[in-house]
Amino acid sequence: MTADPHTGRSAVHPTVAKAFHALDETGLPWVLLRGEDDLALPSGDVDILVARELLPVLDGLMNGIGLCRVHATGHGSHRFYFGYSDSGELWLKLDIVTEISFGPFQQWRTPLAQGCLERRVRTGELWMPAPADQAWLQLLHLTLDKGEIQPQRQEAARAAAAVASPADRIARYLDQRSGAGTAAELLDLVRAGRFDEAPALAAGLRSGWTSAAPLRTRTLALTNRALRQLSPRLRGRGLVVGVMAPDGAGKTTLLHGLRADFPIPTAYVYMGLWGAGPWDSWLHRVPGGRTGKKMYRALKGGMAARYHRVRGRVVLMDRVAYDALLPGAADSKPKTGVSNSLAVRLAAAPDLLLVLDVPGEVMFSRKGEHTAEILETWRQSYLQLADRLPGSSILDAAQPLDLVQRLATKTVWGRMCPGTPDASEAVPAGEAAALSLHLWRLLDWRFLVPVLQPRSVGYGGSVGPDLMAALHLLDPDAARIPSRRNGTTDGSFEVVLLREPDLQLFEQAAAAVQPGGWMCAQVKRSFLRRTGPRTLAGWKRTFKRRGFDDISVHWHATTLDSPGRLVPTASATAVLDTLSLHKGVRFGLAKAVMARFALVLRLFDVAVPEGTVTGRRPES
């Protein structure tokens, strides 16, 4: 493992170190199963075993540090989290499990996880399995999972056998499951270097473990094998990324590069509305033929993008229907303007729009089409249009392709995982004041409670590193409230902030609020939530049932991460004033009308997508 020259301790990639720290903050046990020598720049998975009680908050913890979960069915208890490190152009992958299972389809389940967590040992900033546990897990991984001990793994097997003993806990479990003396036989084989006999021993172990419960084992293997045929997907809806620029800017090359580089599910959709086709000569002679082709392409591309987005994929959209809004896209005929507007409605609106900025002479040198002057005029039109479009980001695409792709990857991943700061980049001294201001900006919720300087602060849920740092500026001793099924929280707090909590964490945190103290819950509406409140109105009722008073609901306009306003939903004037600001946004007028309707029906707390609910715990 790479060592830090200043401390002499093993180096860990900053994002991985943040993941370990976030797990520590929960107060629940976890261990790094293997790969402690490959953490500076992990070349493979970072394998972690965690307590099952961590599952309700695990996605929020990882997302808060820039790690996005990819759902892959048929892998037992495995959860896969990906992250992107811009400084090293490195994709990170954490493989987190709650049970120890073996076999190519995790069909041989064991009760070993609890014991491994109880016997864990601290090594620097890492929690590792006890040496004997780690040794036996390595040996069983090679025999049951791999079925053989390949030459490149023989040294690791010898090292494990040197530590392991037939009297160890996992060795006794192996003897119990496979027959007395099996553990000693495996150790003798490895220590003697008889690796050519390992496949036969592994086959015997596999056969014995299957025959002990043939129906359950074979059913689990077949089920997991079938489920793996389903494509991996992102949680919820995927992200639609559109690329817009004149010819020669490198749109298609960039998107194909992103698709090849991304380790998560992607789909490429071409949305060119006016590109040449084999039927053009015939369509142009038919009245309305050109318009019909444009509508067909907009509808086809829009349906494809929406389908892949629902399937949880990142949609890489080559060209976008916004091209119809460019100056000169519509001629003087009214029907052309109408068809262009309809095309924009039919096509799927991108969640993120990358506008490639390349000087006209550079685009001309790349493709030799049109003229440098014409391309420069188009460039300026695209830049002007980008200023009007939501979710747009302008990229300097005159740089070498690898730099453009790196910048685009960072931009896309930052939109997918807002907590993705490149932890390896140091903050220049001149930016320290700006950083502090940014951190204090994350504490706007303080204005919703009357406590100006809380004596003690607790927090929980999806709290990322930036917000965590801000809370420690407010209270250096701020502590995370773990979400546990049993037990109580250590200590009590004058103010507790929860970010996207589940009901279990809420109950745990409510018990930790001092009499007269305040609870703030930053929550999102989710009608598909399986348990707990689904709306801000539901969270308000939950506060009341838990005995809180002085409860208020504030709408976050525009998002939970960066609210432009904190609007009290009880004030119709404040809500209407905020809604009036949405008229210039795409579909903003329609949304404002629907919101006004919900306000009249007194359902705005149900309709509002995200916000903060606050309440005070009575003195007695």
Side-chain angles (χ1 to χ4, degrees), residues 413-617:
W413 196 255
R415 181 61 60 90
M416 292 178 61
C417 292
T420 303
D422 193 6
S424 61
E425 293 181 1
V427 179
E431 295 182 14
L435 177 61
S436 297
L437 179 61
H438 161 66
L439 293 180
W440 282 112
R441 180 70 177 82
L442 299 177
L443 300 177
D444 283 351
W445 54 270
R446 291 177 302 144
F447 300 107
L448 307 182
V449 299
V451 182
L452 297 180
Q453 184 59 46
R455 295 186 299 272
S456 56
V457 175
Y459 60 90
S462 180
V463 176
D466 278 0
L467 180 53
M468 191 183 302
L471 290 168
H472 281 88
L473 286 176
L474 191 63
D475 173 16
D477 297 322
R480 181 182 286 275
I481 298 174
S483 178
R484 305 185 182 182
R485 294 182 180 178
N486 299 301
T488 58
T489 302
D490 296 333
S492 58
F493 307 95
E494 186 176 15
V495 174
V496 170
L497 173 71
L498 300 180
R499 193 174 191 277
E500 299 182 64
D502 58 15
L503 191 56
Q504 174 184 314
L505 175 59
F506 176 85
E507 294 292 339
Q508 188 79 8
V513 179
Q514 298 173 356
W518 289 81
M519 171 97 85
C520 298
Q522 297 179 341
V523 295
K524 293 183 179 181
R525 180 191 64 205
S526 176
F527 294 121
L528 299 179
R529 193 191 308 274
R530 294 183 179 179
T531 60
R534 294 173 171 81
T535 65
L536 271 70
W539 280 106
K540 183 178 180 180
R541 289 193 295 270
T542 301
F543 269 73
K544 288 181 179 179
R545 285 197 296 268
R546 198 60 176 78
F548 286 86
D549 56 22
D550 294 333
I551 302 170
S552 64
V553 178
H554 283 76
W555 167 33
H556 282 218
T558 54
T559 69
L560 204 63
D561 296 299
S562 56
R565 289 188 174 190
L566 298 174
V567 185
T569 60
S571 171
T573 302
V575 171
L576 293 173
D577 179 59
T578 303
L579 291 174
S580 67
L581 302 177
H582 285 67
K583 292 181 179 179
V585 180
R586 177 174 163 78
F587 297 127
L589 180 60
K591 293 178 181 178
V593 170
M594 294 174 63
R596 288 170 184 269
F597 187 63
L599 193 63
V600 171
L601 296 178
R602 297 187 178 182
L603 295 175
F604 194 75
D605 286 350
V606 175
V608 66
E610 46 199 85
T612 295
V613 183
T614 61
R616 185 180 69 89
R617 183 175 178 181

